């Protein structure tokens, strides 16, 4: 064992005088026992009753003996002194230090040490995530404590095939990252690729799962995300059951899954707790809402600037009458409206909850009415941008991308017209088709087309019809539902 000499003194030297690490000393016969822990991370009552009081009692008993030559060992302490069930060995100073920082009690006996988990740090209770509310279905959500999150997954996946591998990342934070996969379903090449990416991460701190997400991306320059995320254990487990690999980071309520395909954004957990027809309708609507959110302002500018001849004459007359007092080009007008909406959105996010709603209403009414009265913008442009902004939230996880795309398409429509929009859309589709997430095409199962995988596509089939796992995820154990009860 490395660094055994003066183990207790080495631990004190590593932490220094002002690290707020508690240290208590006990003399047991010929032996000296040191106890290290951080008070804010442990359960004080459990440490007192399970560690400190037994050591004090043992020290008094040894002091009463006629000969103070009692030999104490760690095995004796484990079996007869400590009233705790889980104890692990610390094989080095580094292991002892990491254990203490992780919320464990370190007991050092001469040249050896053990770690006793007595976690007691404050943690948030399990509740429904604010970003994934459902009418039907489970309402449990992940929290910041990784132990609780692992338990939520274990509760749902009661199988020995569930593999959980821990990796510690961050030179300063030493954050625990748990890797989840089903060994009889997940593709070994994907599991190995995720492990390799985790091993290459060399950073001071991992504060949230987003840090891990950035390192898992295939390319440094990205626009569409290649890693899925969720705050709900039921969604996380469903993705693992399809053959994906999951990641949970200590301190973050957001779990990650890979590979990720675009169609996952069009799915919702609510789809699986309603009739297939309604789920299919909702998915198609989400796609149209996404397209409308991105293209509506651009088409409005293009029609007004270049292609107004294709509009019905009555609608064109109404539109011209509403914009006749404007003195700025349509492109500048719509960009001003987009800018105002972006200002209101960002201000609402930064303001306290009690003021955010009032700011949104007052800002929209005051800025909108004032700008219309001043002849800077027209009512139709406000309607187009407002409905487009509402449609953005049909797919909340893609808001950042769609907001940027909306501006880019608007500029293309204002400069070239409908031809610019069509060309830009073709370039966007070509780019999306070229994207892969851990070797899986981003537009699966539609590009390339896989007929069986489309049973859970835009037209959602019933649970009884979802007999096979997605072929792009599982290369073994592809059958997840059999008609014969004796099948494996």
């Amino acid at each position: 064992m490395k660094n055994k000499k003066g183990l207790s003194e080495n631990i004190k030297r590593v932490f220094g005088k002002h690290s707020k690490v508690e240290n208590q000393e006990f003399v047991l016969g010929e032996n000296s026992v040191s106890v290290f822990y951080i008070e804010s991370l442990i359960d004080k009552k459990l440490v007192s009753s399970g560690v400190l009081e037994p050591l004090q009692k043992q020290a008094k008993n040894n002091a009463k003996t006629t000969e103070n030559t009692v030999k104490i060992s760690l095995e004796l302490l484990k079996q007869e002194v400590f009233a705790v069930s889980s104890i692990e060995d610390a094989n080095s100073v580094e292991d002892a230090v990491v254990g203490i920082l992780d919320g464990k009690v370190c007991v050092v006996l001469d040249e050896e040490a053990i770690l006793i988990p007595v976690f007691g740090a404050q943690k948030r209770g399990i509740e429904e995530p604010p970003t994934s509310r459902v009418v039907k279905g489970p309402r449990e959500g992940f929290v910041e404590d990784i132990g609780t999150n692992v338990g939520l997954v274990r509760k749902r996946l009661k199988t020995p095939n569930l593999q959980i591998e821990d990796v510690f990342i961050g030179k300063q934070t030493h954050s625990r990252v748990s890797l989840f996969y089903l060994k009889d379903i997940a593709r070994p090449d994907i599991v190995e690729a995720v492990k390799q990416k985790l091993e290459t991460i060399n950073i001071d701190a991992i504060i949230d799962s987003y840090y891990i997400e950035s390192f898992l991306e295939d390319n440094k320059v990205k626009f569409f995300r290649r890693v899925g995320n969720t705050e709900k254990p039921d969604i996380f487990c469903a993705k693992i059951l399809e053959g994906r690999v999951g990641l949970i980071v200590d301190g973050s309520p957001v779990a990650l899954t890979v590979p990720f395909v675009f169609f996952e954004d069009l799915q919702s957990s609510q789809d699986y707790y309603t009739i297939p027809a309604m789920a299919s309708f909702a998915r198609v609507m989400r796609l149209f809402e996404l397209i409308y959110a991105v293209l509506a302002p651009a088409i409005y500018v293009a029609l007004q600037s270049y292609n107004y001849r294709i509009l019905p004459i009555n609608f064109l007359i109404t539109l011209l009458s509403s914009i006749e007092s404007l003195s700025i080009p349509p492109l500048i007008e719509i960009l001003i409206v987009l800018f105002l909406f972006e200002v209101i959105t960002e201000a609402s996010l930064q303001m306290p909850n009690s003021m955010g709603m009032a700011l949104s209403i007052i800002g929209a009414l005051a800025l909108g009415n004032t700008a219309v009265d001043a002849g800077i913008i027209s009512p139709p442009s406000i309607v187009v941008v407002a409905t487009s902004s509402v449609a953005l939230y049909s797919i909340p996880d893609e808001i950042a991308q769609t907001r940027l795309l909306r501006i880019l398409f608007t500029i293309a429509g204002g400069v070239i017209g409908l031809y610019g929009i069509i060309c830009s859309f073709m370039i966007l589709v070509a780019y999306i088709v070229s994207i892969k997430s851990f070797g899986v095409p981003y537009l699966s199962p539609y590009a390339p087309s896989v007929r069986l995988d489309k049973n859970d596509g835009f037209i959602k089939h019933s649970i009884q019809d979802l007999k096979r796992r997605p072929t792009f995820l599982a290369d073994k154990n592809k059958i997840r539902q059999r008609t014969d009860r004796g099948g494996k």
Side-chain angles (χ1 to χ4, degrees), residues 54-67:
L55 284 175
Q56 291 172 351
K57 184 178 179 180
Q58 186 70 27
K60 290 180 181 179
N61 292 338
N62 291 344
K64 293 178 181 179
T65 59
T66 55
E67 295 183 1

Side-chain angles (χ1 to χ4, degrees), residues 92-114:
S92 64
V93 174
E94 290 77 13
D95 291 343
V97 170
V98 170
I100 295 170
L101 293 172
D102 199 31
K104 301 174 183 176
V105 174
C106 181
V107 179
V108 181
L109 176 60
D110 293 336
E111 314 295 338
E112 299 177 311
I114 57 175

Side-chain angles (χ1 to χ4, degrees), residues 204-259:
D204 280 347
I206 297 294
I207 306 300
D208 186 76
S209 59
Y210 180 77
Y211 287 64
I212 299 293
E213 180 179 347
S214 300
F215 286 100
L216 291 177
E217 301 288 352
D218 293 333
N219 300 317
K220 293 183 179 180
V221 180
K222 65 166 187 173
F223 193 82
F224 291 96
R225 61 197 184 101
R226 275 82 156 179
V227 179
N229 57 64
T230 180
E231 293 189 57
K232 298 197 65 182
D234 57 315
I235 297 177
F236 184 76
C237 292
K239 292 182 182 297
I240 291 178
L241 285 167
E242 288 186 338
R244 291 181 174 84
V245 177
L247 292 165
I248 295 181
V249 180
D250 192 13
S252 174
V254 179
L256 307 177
T257 57
V258 291

Side-chain angles (χ1 to χ4, degrees), residues 236-281:
F236 184 76
C237 292
K239 292 182 182 297
I240 291 178
L241 285 167
E242 288 186 338
R244 291 181 174 84
V245 177
L247 292 165
I248 295 181
V249 180
D250 192 13
S252 174
V254 179
L256 307 177
T257 57
V258 291
F260 175 80
V261 296
F262 173 75
F263 191 75
E264 291 182 61
D265 277 331
L266 300 179
Q267 296 174 323
S268 170
S269 60
Q270 188 67 35
D271 296 346
Y272 299 90
Y273 307 118
T274 185
I275 59 175
M278 187 63 217
S280 303
F281 174 76

Side-chain angles (χ1 to χ4, degrees), residues 345-372:
T345 300
E346 290 298 325
S348 301
L349 294 175
Q350 300 299 328
M351 294 292 290
N353 291 336
S354 58
M355 299 179 62
M357 183 64 70
L359 175 66
S360 300
I361 296 174
I362 294 174
L365 292 176
L367 292 176
N369 290 335
T370 303
V372 171

Side-chain angles (χ1 to χ4, degrees), residues 163-200:
Q163 304 296 294
I164 305 176
E165 300 183 23
D166 291 335
V167 181
F168 293 89
I169 303 175
K171 292 180 288 185
Q172 303 297 335
T173 59
H174 204 71
S175 302
R176 174 184 168 189
V177 180
S178 293
L179 181 73
F180 293 76
Y181 63 93
L182 290 170
K183 65 180 181 180
D184 61 333
I185 298 177
R187 284 169 46 182
D189 59 322
I190 294 178
V191 175
E192 190 60 32
V194 175
K195 291 181 182 179
Q196 290 179 0
K197 286 185 177 293
L198 293 178
E199 290 174 357
T200 59

Side-chain angles (χ1 to χ4, degrees), residues 22 54 80 110 121 133 171 192 277 310 360 403 408 440 472:
E22 302 294 330
E80 301 183 9
D110 293 336
R133 298 189 181 277
K171 292 180 288 185
E192 190 60 32
I310 67 176
S360 300
R403 285 166 67 179
L408 295 177
V440 175
F472 60 86

